[in-house]
Amino acid sequence: MSVGTVAIAVIDNTNIPVGDVYELGIACSVFGTPQPDLADSWYDVRLCATQPEAPGRGFGFALTTPYSLADLADADTVIVPSVPDAVVDENSPLPEELIDALRTAAKRGARMVSLCNGAFALAEAGLLNGRRATAHWMHTATLKRRFPEVEVDDSVLYVDDGDVLTSAGLSAGLDLCLHLVRQDLGAHVANQLARRMVVPAHRPGGQSQFIDLTVPVSDDDSLSPVLQWATENLDQPLTVDDLAKRAGMSPRTFFRRLQSVTGTTPLQWLLNQRLSRAQSLLESTDLPIEKISEFSGLGTSTNLRRHFNIHIGVSPSDYRRAFPCRTTVKSGRG
């Protein structure tokens, strides 16, 4: 079975610059590798290229595929991982076939996604008009100037505007792809997939894509043990002072270091981890809401419901119905 068709646009498959391989590889890795032990269904991935059977040229990579850009129009999810540098730097035109296919797919109700400077393609197709969107911070000023109808946010990792989603560059594209898996298959699957890829399970889109360069970053790995410990003890009352003491830092230093690494405050990071734990427990166990509140460290069921409605957009019960549990857990930590 397939979760749906994911069509990835490869605008010039005869000469893919080395720098553009990363975003393309992210999309292929996340959606193109089935995980049968995590989910019965996975994605049907199609690489849709300008010249499907054309030989390679230039000094970049080349690929062949049975799908053309026109095949984007029939997909359930369309991803534009990047556009050629000349599109951004010199305002070179994009293939009309690409623009037509993007508009057709959007009109059909497809989920439209861009990574990094792929937002320029969605903007050129008019799909970002009146919407909030982002791209790599190095390109957002150009995006704002060229497409004034777009509400460009140059600080966030990614923007989920319903059926149109955009991300900043490089690793933020991976955050967005995992966010899509979380939407489709649930937090448990997304978290396990992130673990296999050795990346953070969940960096919310609202985190900053900027790093505070006034804070030393050479010892960033020193936070890993305390953050791992915190995720294993979410059912305990944890404070910034507790985490700072365990990290061997003053609360002020710990606050600044964590914010520089994660782009968020310690309390917001803890809340994100607690919500992620609650999502996993709702998906994978039949524990009552009260126990899930306890094991995730959110306290009462009322508090869990409040945070779910604010941050997830649905009640815990509705969330559980969307992801029927696979196992039965009667007691113990989640």
Side-chain angles (χ1 to χ4, degrees):
M1 294 179 61
S2 171
V3 179
T5 303
V6 175
I8 303 172
V10 186
I11 296 175
D12 184 0
N13 58 297
T14 65
N15 184 23
I16 305 171
V18 174
D20 291 346
V21 172
Y22 186 78
E23 283 86 359
L24 176 61
I26 283 173
C28 291
S29 296
V30 171
F31 301 108
T33 305
Q35 307 288 338
D37 58 323
L38 297 182
D40 296 332
S41 301
W42 207 250
Y43 301 88
D44 175 18
V45 172
R46 301 175 181 176
L47 292 172
C48 302
T50 313
Q51 304 177 63
E53 304 298 332
R57 62 177 178 80
F59 299 100
F61 293 90
L63 63 84
T64 59
T65 172
Y67 303 104
S68 70
L69 290 179
D71 292 305
L72 294 169
D74 298 322
D76 300 303
T77 299
V78 174
I79 300 178
V80 185
S82 64
V83 298
D85 289 342
V87 173
V88 179
D89 300 335
E90 304 166 20
N91 201 13
S92 296
L94 286 161
E96 291 185 12
E97 183 182 19
L98 170 67
I99 301 303
D100 290 342
L102 293 177
R103 289 171 176 164
T104 300
K107 192 173 295 185
R108 285 184 51 256
R111 182 169 57 182
M112 310 300 293
V113 181
S114 69
L115 311 182
C116 196
N117 64 13
F120 282 80
L122 298 189
E124 182 66 32
L127 305 182
L128 299 184
N129 289 348
R131 292 181 181 265
R132 181 167 163 261
T134 194
H136 192 291
W137 62 266
M138 292 180 66
H139 305 311
T140 49
T142 303
L143 187 65
K144 286 180 182 179
R145 183 177 67 254
R146 198 171 297 168
F147 302 100
E149 304 90 347
V150 182
E151 183 185 340
V152 179
D153 188 335
D154 64 2
S155 64
V156 297
L157 294 181
Y158 60 84
V159 173
D160 181 343
D161 197 36
D163 55 349
V164 178
L165 303 93
T166 54
S167 85
L170 300 174
S171 297
L174 179 53
D175 292 313
L176 178 53
C177 289
L178 289 171
H179 172 72
L180 295 173
V181 173
R182 187 173 291 105
Q183 284 186 333
D184 297 337
L185 296 171
H188 177 74
V189 173
N191 292 348
Q192 291 302 309
L193 180 58
R195 185 179 182 186
R196 293 178 181 183
M197 302 180 79
V198 198
V199 296
H202 185 206
R203 292 200 300 169
Q207 289 191 22
S208 175
Q209 59 175 295
F210 302 121
I211 295 176
D212 183 1
L213 297 179
T214 65
V215 180
V217 296
S218 59
D219 291 330
D220 283 350
D221 286 346
S222 66
L223 291 183
S224 297
V226 69
L227 297 185
Q228 180 65 30
W229 175 82
T231 60
E232 294 170 355
N233 292 274
L234 291 172
D235 59 335
Q236 302 299 312
L238 301 175
T239 67
V240 175
D241 286 350
D242 294 333
L243 299 180
K245 183 177 180 180
R246 192 170 187 89
M249 303 177 186
S250 70
R252 182 178 179 183
T253 298
F254 178 79
F255 184 101
R256 294 179 62 208
R257 183 69 62 81
L258 182 65
Q259 191 167 41
S260 74
V261 171
T262 68
T264 191
T265 65
L267 291 180
Q268 185 61 51
W269 181 87
L270 272 173
L271 177 59
N272 293 339
Q273 304 310 306
R274 295 189 194 283
L275 287 171
S276 181
R277 170 66 57 80
Q279 286 178 294
S280 292
L281 291 173
L282 286 167
E283 295 168 23
S284 59
T285 77
D286 64 354
L287 288 168
I289 300 298
E290 291 75 14
K291 283 295 183 183
I292 289 177
S293 305
E294 176 186 340
F295 294 152
S296 60
L298 288 168
T300 65
S301 57
T302 300
N303 201 37
L304 174 66
R305 292 186 180 95
R306 182 172 68 85
H307 281 299
F308 251 67
N309 283 318
I310 292 173
H311 299 285
I312 310 299
V314 296
S315 69
S317 298
D318 286 342
Y319 186 88
R320 169 170 269 169
R321 280 191 287 271
F323 300 100
C325 70
R326 295 183 173 85
T327 61
T328 301
V329 176
K330 298 299 184 183
S331 63
R333 287 187 184 179

